[in-house]
Amino acid sequence: MMNLESPPEKTVIKSKISGHVLSTSGAMLRGVRVTCNGTETKTLADGFFVLGGLHPGTYEVTVSLQRFKSASKTVSVQEGKDESLSFRLAEATENAKICGHVYDAESKKSIEHDGRVILILPVSNKYKAIKNGYYEFDNLSAGTYKLYTSISGYEDCDATVTVADGETKNFDLFCKTKRTEEPPWG
Amino acid sequence: MDRRDFLKLAGAASAGSLILGDMLKLVKGQTKPSEATSQKWENYTVGERTPSICPYCAGGCGLMVTTLGDQLVEIEGDPIHPINGGALCSKAAAVFQLVTSDRRLTYPMKRTNPNKGKDEDPMWERITWEEAYEIIANKVKDALTDFPYKQGDDYYYKGKDNPVAWLGSSYWNNEECYLGKKLISLLGSTNVEHQARKCHASTVVALANTFGFGAMTNHIVDAKNSKCFLIVSNPAESHTMEFKWVQKAIENGAKVIVLDPRFNRSGSKAHIFARFRSGTEAALFLGMIRYVLYEKPERVDWDFLENRTSAPYRTDGTGPYSDWKEEASDSIFIKLKNIVAPYTPEEVERIAGIPQAKFIEVIDTFSDPVNNPGNIYYSMGTTQHTNAVQAIRAQAILQLILGNMGVPGGGINALRGISNVQGSTDANLLSHLIMGYRGPPRDVGEIRRYQKWKNGGGPGTSADLDADAKKRGGNTSVGRVTYPWASIGDAETAGKATEFRYDDRHFPTWNALEYHWGVYVGTWPGVDPDNEPVVCDLPVGFGNPIVQLFRAINDGKIKVLICNGENPAVSVANANLVREALSKDSLFLVVNELFETETAVYADILLPGTTQVERDGSITNTGRWIQWRWKAKNPPGECKPELTYLTELYWKIREVLKSVGIKLPSEKYEEEHAGVDIKKTIGTADVQNNPELCWPSRFVYTDGFSAEAIYKEYGAKSIIVGGVELPQSAANVLYKNSYDPTMEPELNGILPKRRDPTPVDLEDAKYGYFKNWAFSWMLNQRVLYNDKESNAGLKTFLVWFATAPNAWLGHTLDKAALWSKPLHDPSKPATNPLSQAMPLHNEPLESPDSDLATQYPTMWDNRYPVTVGTSTDYPYVLTTFRLAEHMQAGAMTRNLPWLVEAHPSMFVEMSKELAGEIGVNDGDDVVVKTARKPEGIVVKALVTDRIQPFTINGKTVHEVAMPWHWGFKGLSTGPSANEITIDSVDVSANIPEVKVCLCKVEKA
C-alpha cells in the first residue's frame, strides 16, 4: 500500500556531453574513441559524439584515434544542463620512418618509372612518388601500417609494416608485372 | 508531359488505334479530388494519363499512369505500346504500390549510432538536404586532401588511387547515369561501378570482341520472326513480356528449346527441355559447334562464314585464303574446327550431364535449316562464371556458322535484367570505360598522341590540318606537332595500326567530353606534345571493378562511397566481405534509395530517391530501344528528383573543394603557372576549362534545367561551336543522331519521345521494327549488323580490333571475329582459352569433380585471395535464380505487400533424391553451407522434380538452386544467397561467378 505521507523520490534530470572531434586541419574524424568515467562511445562520420545519461559531477573526457595524439578535457556537468566539448587532434608525427626500394618481382631490378607508394591512414592517405626506385615516409608514429603500390604496368603490391618509435624500417616492395594487360574494350 | 508531347501522341492516335483515341479523351478530362481505389472508373474519365516505362526488368514495357492532380490513381499497361500491348507482369502490376508505399524514405537522415552492422539500429536523425550536402562535401574534401594532382611534371589524377567511389544505378534514367559519371569523373576517380558489372559485363566483352558491340543484337518484338529458340535463361519469369513474343512465335510454328539446370516456367512451354550442370555452358556450345561442323556440315552457312567472318583468314591477319576450309590452309576456320573436335556428344555428357541423345536432339533441331532463323536467348546463367566470356563467345560463334546473325529472328540476345541496365552500361558507370564504351586515357602516351590529333591529321582527317585543329580545339601555332599517320596505311607501315585504330575510336569521344564537361585534355600549350607537360582533367587509368572495389574499401584505400540505387550488401558475391567493408570506420557511406535497404543500414547519410513516374528522362531497354518516360506526379515529402540531387551535390562538393584549393588538374596548372589561361579554341570560340559553365549541360541555357537539356548533349547529331561542327557532337557516340532538331520539332527533336506505332514502310510492317517508336542505337537500326535493313545504320560487323597488333584484316573492320586478338594471351597454358583466342571448356573454380578440374582447369588466375571449398567438404553444386515476383536485391519488391504475398520467403530447391539422402522433407528448414560461410544460412527446403541429379564423369552429382532476392530488411526478410556464393570473377570481364559454387546442405 502506498504511503501517501512519504515525500516523493527526487527525479534527477540527467545531462549529456556532446561535441565534435576534428583534426587540426579541420578534417571530421570518424571512429574516434571517446571515453568518460567508464563509459565509451565513438564519433560519427562528421566527428560528432554524445555521451548521455550523466549525473551531475566532474568528468574527464578522453578522445583517441590511431595515428593521432590523444587528448583529454575535464568538464563539470550540472543537473539538467548539457555541455558541449570539442577537440582538435593533432597527427601523431614522430621519428619513425618507413622507406625502401620498389623492384620488379621477376627481374629484381629497381622500378624507375612513374608510380607511387600509398600509406593507408584513417582520414586521408599519404601518397609518395617513387623516385629512382626509392620511396620514403617519415615523421611517422610507432605502429603498424599498410602500404600499397600503384605503378603502371604492375599489379598493386600490398604490405603491412610495423615500425617502432624512432626506428627507420627498410622495407622493399616487389611488384609483379600485369600478366594480362586489360585490353581496351572500348 | 508537356503540350507538344501530347500533340505528338495525338498524331500517333490518328494513325494508330481506336484505343488510343479513347485514351486521349481521358487525358483531357477535368481533374477533381476522388477516392482512387473505390472510384476507379470515374477517375479514368477525369484523370490525366501519362506514358511511362516500367522500372523493373529491361523489357521496356509501356505503362500508362493515371493521376488526379498529384494523386496516383492507377498504373496500367500502355495499350498501344509495341512491346507489351497493355499487358503487365506481376512486378509491373505492382508499380502502384512502389510509388505509394508508406515505407518509402521521404527525407534525408544521418545515423546517430556510431556502430555499424547488420544488427545495429542506425538510429536515424532527420536532417535537411543542405546539411547532408555539407557533410558529404566535407568528407570528400577530407578524403582528397593529399590526393596528388601532379605526377612528375604532368598534371592529372590517377583514377584508381582516388579515395572517392561511386555506385549506380541501372534504375536511373540515362541523363542521371550520365551526370553521375560526369560528377565522379570530375572528381578524378575511375572507381565507379554499378549493377552491369554483376550481370552482363561478360556479354560486353564477348560480343564486342566478336561482333563489335556488346549488346543484344536484335530486339524484343523481333522474337516473333524467329523459327527456333535456344533459350539458356528463364524469360517466362525474368522477362515476362519478352516471352509473350516467344509465345507469338510458337503460334506461328516456332520451336522452343530450353536449357537450364532446373526445370522452369520457360521450360514448361518448350518443345525440348534439357538439364545441364551449372558452369558447363562453354562445353555445351562447343559441342554444338562441333556437331554442326563435323556431323552436319551441309548446315553451315559457308557464304556467311566466308564473307562476313574471319574464318578464311589466318591468325596473323593474312588472307583471305581460297582454301580456307582445308586443313593445310591453317585458317582461323581450321583452328576453330580443331578446337571443338574434342567436344563430342559423349564428352559433353561427361562434362555437363546432358544425355547424348538429348544433346543431339537439341542441336539437330536448332541447326535444322527448316528452323532458321534461330535465336539464342541467354542471361545470368551464362554470364556469371569465371569463363563466362568464353561461353558467350561459343554461343556467338555457333550463330555465325549457322548464318543466324544480322537477320530478323536471329541473333545473340542477351536478356538484360534491370530497366535501364543497357543505358547505364552505355553511360559507362564502369571503372574501365569513360563513355559510349570508350576507355579513359590509360597513360600519358595516349594523351600526348591525342594532343597531336587535336593539332591536326590522323583518324577523321581532312586535307587541311588547320581545319582539323579548329574543329578539335588543337593548337594551330606555327611549328606545332601534328598526328604522325595520315591513314591506316601509313600507320600500318609504321607498325602502329593498333594505335591508329584505338585513336580513331577514342579521340572523338574525349574531344566531345572536353567540350561537354568543360575540361581540358592534352598537353599545354599543345605545340610540342612529346615534351610539354600533360594536362588532363579526365581521370587516367582504370579503376577497381566491383569485387575489387570492396576489397579496396576493406584495405582503407577508399574513404568515401556514394551509393545510388544499388544494394551491394545483398547483390555482390560473398556479401559477408561487402558488409564487412561497409562497416569500416574508415569508410564514409552515402546511400540514395527509395527504401531503407540492407546497404542503407550501414550508411552515414541516407537520402530519399524518387520513383520513375516522378521524373522525366530516357531509358534504354535490353533491345537498345531508347524510350522516354514522362513525369506523372511530384514525389512525396522531401524526395528530390535525381537530377536535382546530382546538381546540388556537385555544386556543394565543387564549392568546398575549391575553398581548400582542390581543383581540376588544369586549374592547378594555371594556379602554378602565372599568366596561363587554359582554354581551347574551337572555330572562333574560346572554350574555358570550367565545368560550372556546362553543368548539368550547355543546353541548360536554351532548355532550362531539364532532362531534355542533358539528353541533347548526350545524343546530339550536330553541334556547331565557333562556326564549326564538332568532330563528334554526341557525348555518347552510341546515341548520336537521337537528338535531331530537324526531325520531330514538336518533340523538341528528341527522338526517344516518339510514340508512333505506325510502320514506316513495308519492311517495318513485316518485321515489326517500329522505327517510328522511340529510337534504337545505333542510328535507329533495329537488328544490328543487318545489311538489308532499309535505313542508314549499322550494317556490318565492326570489330575494330582484329588479329595481330599490326595486321588488320585487309584494312576492313567488317568481319566477325572467330579468333579474337584482345582475348589472346600466348603466355597462358594450352588449357586456357586465352592461349587459343578461342573458347574452351573450363571448370568453375569450385568443381564437383576432381578429374574434370584437372583436365579442364579453372580460368581463375588468383588475382586476389578467394576462400575455396573442396568437393569433399561441399559435395553439391549451388546455383542461383530469379523469381517473377521479385527483383534483384529485393528492395523494390520485398517492400510491396502484393509481391511479398506472392513469394513470401527464401528457399532452396533440391531434388527428391538429394532430400532422401539427407533426410529432408519439403518445407523443412535446412542449412546451406559453403566455404565462404561454413556455418551456413538457414532456408526452407523446396523438394521438387524440377531439379534432378546429374551423372557427371560417371558419378552422381546433386545440384541445388536458390533465389537471391532476400536480405534482412523489408516486409519479407531472409538470408541472402550471396552470403554463401563465391567471389571469383571472369578473368576478362571481372563479373563474379555467382552462378556456380559448391555447397553442403543439412537438415537444420
Side-chain angles (χ1 to χ4, degrees):
Chain A
M1 193 175 187
M2 187 181 287
N3 181 357
L4 297 176
E5 300 299 317
S6 62
E9 277 189 29
K10 186 186 177 191
T11 304
V12 176
I13 302 171
K14 294 179 181 174
S15 306
K16 63 184 178 186
I17 302 171
S18 63
H20 283 86
V21 185
L22 307 176
S23 73
T24 48
S25 61
M28 300 181 289
L29 299 181
R30 148 56 147 313
V32 177
R33 186 164 172 250
V34 183
T35 57
C36 171
N37 294 22
T39 62
E40 182 177 326
T41 188
K42 284 198 300 184
T43 54
L44 297 163
D46 58 358
F48 182 75
F49 71 91
V50 59
L51 296 158
L54 301 177
H55 291 278
T58 301
Y59 293 89
E60 183 179 35
V61 179
T62 302
V63 293
S64 56
L65 180 65
Q66 203 178 20
R67 317 285 173 231
F68 286 83
K69 289 177 183 168
S70 297
S72 296
K73 287 185 181 177
T74 301
V75 61
S76 181
V77 172
Q78 296 173 5
E79 183 180 344
K81 188 177 175 200
D82 296 337
E83 292 294 333
S84 177
L85 198 61
S86 290
F87 293 85
R88 288 262 180 172
L89 296 190
E91 284 192 48
T93 54
E94 292 170 11
N95 295 324
K97 182 195 283 189
I98 300 172
C99 58
H101 285 85
V102 185
Y103 294 105
D104 182 304
E106 201 171 323
S107 69
K108 305 291 189 277
K109 288 183 179 169
S110 175
I111 297 175
E112 303 291 337
H113 55 276
D114 278 350
R116 290 186 183 276
V117 177
I118 302 172
L119 182 82
I120 303 297
L121 292 173
V123 179
S124 176
N125 297 332
K126 288 201 182 304
Y127 305 79
K128 281 291 168 76
I130 300 167
K131 288 183 180 165
N132 300 321
Y134 180 78
Y135 77 94
E136 178 180 301
F137 291 99
D138 55 10
N139 297 327
L140 299 175
S141 58
T144 299
Y145 292 87
K146 277 205 84 169
L147 303 174
Y148 71 94
T149 60
S150 174
I151 305 169
S152 297
Y154 288 88
E155 306 284 354
D156 290 356
C157 165
D158 287 40
T160 303
V161 184
T162 300
V163 62
D165 189 20
E167 183 187 15
T168 295
K169 174 73 67 97
N170 271 291
F171 196 94
D172 295 338
L173 297 160
F174 295 86
C175 302
K176 293 179 186 169
T177 51
K178 277 193 176 162
R179 283 165 293 177
T180 306
E181 190 68 39
E182 192 168 357
W185 304 128
Chain B
M1 187 178 214
D2 60 25
R3 189 169 176 276
R4 62 186 172 215
D5 296 340
F6 276 122
L7 289 173
K8 180 62 184 171
L9 197 60
S14 60
S17 66
L18 290 173
I19 298 172
L20 185 58
D22 294 343
M23 186 189 71
L24 282 170
K25 182 177 68 183
L26 300 176
V27 167
K28 293 175 179 175
Q30 68 176 97
T31 59
K32 66 175 185 180
S34 178
E35 285 293 320
T37 52
S38 61
Q39 299 182 32
K40 180 175 171 180
W41 183 245
E42 182 186 346
N43 288 339
Y44 274 31
T45 65
V46 298
E48 287 196 0
R49 312 198 74 186
T50 308
S52 190
I53 305 295
C54 179
Y56 287 105
C57 90
C61 293
L63 303 177
M64 195 54 73
V65 183
T66 305
T67 51
L68 275 172
D70 234 14
Q71 183 188 18
L72 182 65
V73 176
E74 181 61 289
I75 299 179
E76 297 173 295
D78 181 347
I80 67 156
H81 198 283
I83 290 173
N84 59 317
L88 292 178
C89 73
S90 50
K91 286 192 292 289
V95 175
F96 181 92
Q97 278 197 336
L98 180 76
V99 177
T100 58
S101 172
D102 60 5
R103 298 177 60 82
R104 281 181 61 180
L105 303 171
T106 53
Y107 46 80
M109 297 184 286
K110 73 171 183 179
R111 76 182 302 118
T112 62
N113 180 356
N115 300 312
K116 291 185 174 182
K118 170 177 174 287
D119 299 317
E120 292 285 349
D121 178 356
M123 299 169 64
W124 298 117
E125 180 181 296
R126 184 172 183 166
I127 57 174
T128 65
W129 278 94
E130 288 67 31
E131 287 171 313
Y133 294 143
E134 185 77 29
I135 296 170
I136 297 167
N138 277 287
K139 294 301 285 189
V140 170
K141 180 255 299 177
D142 292 348
L144 289 175
T145 294
D146 289 327
F147 184 56
Y149 57 86
K150 196 174 171 188
Q151 328 294 328
D153 293 331
D154 299 321
Y155 287 68
Y156 64 90
Y157 287 119
K158 289 185 80 170
K160 183 180 176 186
D161 294 343
N162 194 303
V164 181
W166 184 273
L167 284 181
S169 164
S170 299
Y171 296 100
W172 279 17
N173 293 330
N174 289 322
E175 299 75 18
E176 298 149 2
C177 293
Y178 172 64
L179 271 200
K181 180 73 174 185
K182 191 169 174 175
L183 189 156
I184 191 67
S185 300
L186 291 174
L187 297 182
S189 178
T190 48
N191 288 315
V192 48
E193 285 281 296
H194 79 299
Q195 290 96 333
R197 178 72 69 189
K198 295 168 269 177
C199 61
H200 274 289
S202 44
T203 290
V204 174
V205 174
L207 299 189
N209 283 292
T210 308
F211 304 136
F213 290 90
M216 185 175 186
T217 58
N218 293 48
H219 63 101
I220 287 180
V221 178
D222 184 62
K224 72 173 190 149
N225 300 313
S226 300
K227 297 270 184 61
C228 191
F229 295 86
L230 188 48
I231 298 177
V232 200
S233 179
N234 184 12
E237 290 209 62
S238 302
H239 302 81
T240 312
M241 289 306 121
E242 168 77 65
F243 203 71
K244 185 169 84 88
W245 290 101
V246 175
Q247 290 181 297
K248 176 76 176 168
I250 293 173
E251 290 169 15
N252 294 335
K255 297 238 174 37
V256 175
I257 303 163
V258 172
L259 300 176
D260 203 284
R262 52 187 275 278
F263 186 73
N264 55 33
R265 291 184 190 176
S266 302
S268 73
K269 298 288 183 185
H271 299 90
I272 303 171
F273 171 77
R275 291 181 179 82
F276 67 93
R277 171 173 63 100
S278 293
T280 62
E281 292 80 1
L284 275 176
F285 282 89
L286 290 165
M288 292 186 203
I289 297 168
R290 195 213 72 89
Y291 179 84
V292 177
L293 293 183
Y294 284 85
E295 310 295 337
K296 303 281 183 184
E298 69 278 10
R299 296 182 178 181
V300 174
D301 191 333
W302 297 107
D303 287 344
F304 189 92
L305 274 187
E306 180 163 311
N307 295 313
R308 300 200 62 185
T309 78
S310 61
Y313 296 79
R314 288 183 187 159
T315 58
D316 63 4
T318 60
Y321 292 92
S322 57
D323 62 344
W324 62 278
K325 297 175 207 164
E326 307 302 324
E327 184 73 31
S329 70
D330 195 27
S331 68
I332 285 173
F333 173 73
I334 292 300
K335 185 172 174 62
L336 172 68
K337 210 172 163 187
N338 293 334
I339 286 274
V340 300
Y343 298 95
T344 61
E346 294 86 346
E347 187 64 358
V348 172
E349 177 174 353
R350 190 171 80 92
I351 296 169
I354 179 171
Q356 292 177 46
K358 181 65 81 175
F359 172 75
I360 291 171
E361 183 188 6
V362 166
I363 184 57
D364 203 55
T365 303
F366 188 67
S367 62
D368 191 330
V370 303
N371 293 328
N372 281 358
N375 181 335
I376 293 182
Y377 279 146
Y378 72 95
S379 49
M380 309 300 95
T382 308
T383 64
Q384 295 173 329
H385 297 284
T386 39
N387 67 336
V389 166
Q390 304 302 328
I392 298 163
R393 286 251 304 142
Q395 295 179 355
I397 292 170
L398 175 66
Q399 289 294 66
L400 288 170
I401 68 170
L402 293 173
N404 277 333
M405 294 303 304
V407 291
I412 286 286
N413 293 305
L415 296 176
R416 310 211 57 159
I418 301 174
S419 50
N420 195 33
V421 70
Q422 184 62 56
S424 57
T425 312
D426 300 339
N428 288 165
L429 290 159
L430 292 164
S431 56
H432 64 301
L433 297 167
I434 192 78
M435 191 57 57
Y437 303 97
R438 275 55 174 161
R442 290 176 296 175
D443 55 44
V444 293
E446 288 178 0
I447 301 166
R448 294 187 186 284
R449 223 162 56 232
Y450 173 67
Q451 181 64 53
K452 294 175 191 172
W453 178 83
K454 283 204 296 186
N455 289 354
T461 191
S462 68
D464 183 346
L465 297 187
D466 281 351
D468 293 340
K470 279 181 183 167
K471 287 193 294 183
R472 299 168 184 174
N475 195 322
T476 56
S477 300
V478 175
R480 71 191 191 272
V481 176
T482 58
Y483 196 82
W485 314 299
S487 67
I488 181 65
D490 277 357
E492 197 170 64
T493 304
K496 297 293 182 184
T498 299
E499 284 88 338
F500 190 93
R501 292 292 191 207
Y502 184 86
D503 299 350
D504 185 21
R505 194 167 169 90
H506 285 76
F507 289 174
T509 287
W510 296 357
N511 201 254
L513 297 182
E514 267 196 277
Y515 176 74
H516 290 307
W517 292 5
V519 296
Y520 185 82
V521 180
T523 62
W524 187 259
V527 178
D528 184 9
D530 285 322
N531 300 300
E532 294 167 353
V534 160
V535 179
C536 179
D537 293 331
L538 293 180
V540 175
F542 299 165
N544 286 289
I546 191 79
V547 173
Q548 291 91 319
L549 183 67
F550 284 99
R551 282 175 155 73
I553 293 171
N554 259 326
D555 289 343
K557 297 174 186 173
I558 303 292
K559 305 296 190 195
V560 174
L561 174 62
I562 302 175
C563 179
N564 307 283
E566 286 253 348
N567 193 4
V570 173
S571 65
V572 175
N574 192 5
N576 316 299
L577 189 145
V578 173
R579 294 173 188 180
E580 182 189 335
L582 297 177
S583 304
K584 291 277 179 188
D585 276 340
S586 56
L587 179 73
F588 172 68
L589 177 64
V590 180
V591 171
N592 183 304
E593 263 295 353
L594 294 177
F595 299 95
E596 186 188 33
T597 64
E598 289 78 3
T599 301
V601 166
Y602 296 86
D604 296 291
I605 300 285
L606 180 53
L607 303 171
T610 65
T611 68
Q612 291 76 3
V613 304
E614 292 158 351
R615 57 202 212 247
D616 287 314
S618 68
I619 68 165
T620 309
N621 79 353
T622 187
R624 297 169 288 100
W625 287 19
I626 311 159
Q627 302 186 90
W628 198 264
R629 48 189 174 199
W630 286 262
K631 177 180 174 180
K633 66 182 287 295
N634 288 309
E638 295 178 13
C639 295
K640 270 197 201 271
E642 279 61 10
L643 289 181
T644 309
Y645 151 63
L646 283 161
T647 295
E648 293 175 349
L649 179 63
Y650 178 67
W651 291 131
K652 190 65 193 180
I653 290 175
R654 173 85 167 152
E655 174 196 326
V656 169
L657 293 186
K658 279 173 79 173
S659 73
V660 295
I662 300 174
K663 299 176 184 174
L664 296 175
S666 64
E667 293 172 320
K668 296 303 288 185
Y669 187 90
E670 289 172 326
E671 204 173 88
E672 295 174 7
H673 295 79
V676 170
D677 177 17
I678 290 186
K679 62 185 178 224
K680 61 178 190 174
T681 304
I682 303 175
T684 56
D686 284 342
V687 179
Q688 296 293 330
N689 57 327
N690 185 352
E692 289 161 44
L693 296 174
C694 45
W695 185 285
S697 158
R698 292 186 190 274
F699 284 94
V700 79
Y701 301 106
T702 54
D703 291 75
F705 181 83
S706 65
E708 288 186 344
I710 298 161
Y711 193 84
K712 285 187 174 182
E713 78 176 34
Y714 199 57
K717 182 178 183 182
S718 172
I719 292 178
I720 307 293
V721 179
V724 300
E725 184 177 8
L726 296 179
Q728 178 185 307
S729 296
N732 191 325
V733 67
L734 298 179
Y735 289 65
K736 68 181 181 183
N737 295 13
S738 61
Y739 162 56
D740 183 351
T742 66
M743 293 176 67
E744 311 286 359
E746 70 273 28
L747 296 179
N748 203 8
I750 296 177
L751 304 185
K753 288 185 170 184
R754 296 186 300 185
R755 288 175 47 81
D756 183 353
T758 315
V760 296
D761 54 23
L762 289 175
E763 179 196 49
D764 194 346
K766 177 180 178 185
Y767 292 118
Y769 288 151
F770 291 97
K771 292 212 169 190
N772 269 340
W773 186 279
F775 191 87
S776 177
W777 70 253
M778 296 275 296
L779 302 171
N780 208 28
Q781 176 125 350
R782 300 296 163 129
V783 176
L784 291 180
Y785 323 116
N786 179 7
D787 53 5
K788 297 181 179 62
E789 201 166 312
S790 58
N791 60 302
L794 186 68
K795 305 300 176 194
T796 69
F797 297 108
L798 193 65
V799 187
W800 71 278
F801 22 70
T803 53
N806 195 34
W808 300 90
L809 303 174
H811 297 178
T812 63
L813 308 172
D814 61 349
K815 310 296 182 198
L818 301 180
W819 187 88
S820 174
K821 168 64 186 167
L823 295 171
H824 188 213
D825 181 356
S827 70
K828 299 287 185 194
T831 50
N832 189 316
L834 297 176
S835 73
Q836 309 294 328
M838 280 185 174
L840 297 171
H841 169 64
N842 298 89
E843 283 292 300
L845 178 54
E846 288 188 338
S847 169
D849 188 278
S850 56
D851 292 340
L852 289 173
T854 303
Q855 186 180 350
Y856 301 104
T858 177
M859 286 187 75
W860 173 243
D861 60 2
N862 295 307
R863 58 186 59 190
Y864 51 78
V866 170
T867 306
V868 182
T870 67
S871 58
T872 307
D873 296 331
Y874 301 100
Y876 314 131
V877 174
L878 168 67
T879 194
T880 59
F881 62 91
R882 256 171 74 168
L883 299 164
E885 292 77 14
H886 284 295
M887 185 68 188
Q888 313 296 61
M892 287 168 61
T893 52
R894 285 188 290 104
N895 281 297
L896 311 187
W898 293 341
L899 297 173
V900 167
E901 186 178 358
H903 251 303
S905 60
M906 174 68 172
F907 59 93
V908 60
E909 289 191 1
M910 68 180 72
S911 68
K912 290 176 178 171
E913 289 82 354
L914 175 60
E917 279 183 26
I918 61 176
V920 166
N921 294 312
D922 189 40
D924 283 351
D925 283 343
V926 292
V927 191
V928 186
K929 304 175 177 179
T930 70
R932 270 67 58 200
K933 192 166 187 176
E935 69 274 27
I937 59 174
V938 178
V939 296
K940 293 283 181 198
L942 198 165
V943 180
T944 172
D945 283 332
R946 291 197 289 269
I947 290 198
Q948 293 182 3
F950 294 108
T951 300
I952 304 296
N953 194 23
K955 289 166 267 187
T956 299
V957 171
H958 292 288
E959 179 157 345
V960 300
M962 55 173 55
W964 64 277
H965 308 292
W966 269 270
F968 56 87
K969 296 297 291 183
L971 281 172
S972 167
T973 58
S976 304
N978 278 326
E979 291 174 51
I980 59 175
T981 54
I982 196 164
D983 47 349
S984 48
V985 294
D986 178 285
V987 299
S988 303
N990 282 299
I991 186 171
E993 189 172 38
V994 290
K995 272 297 172 286
V996 60
C997 66
L998 293 179
C999 72
K1000 186 175 187 180
V1001 185
E1002 295 171 341
K1003 191 167 180 177

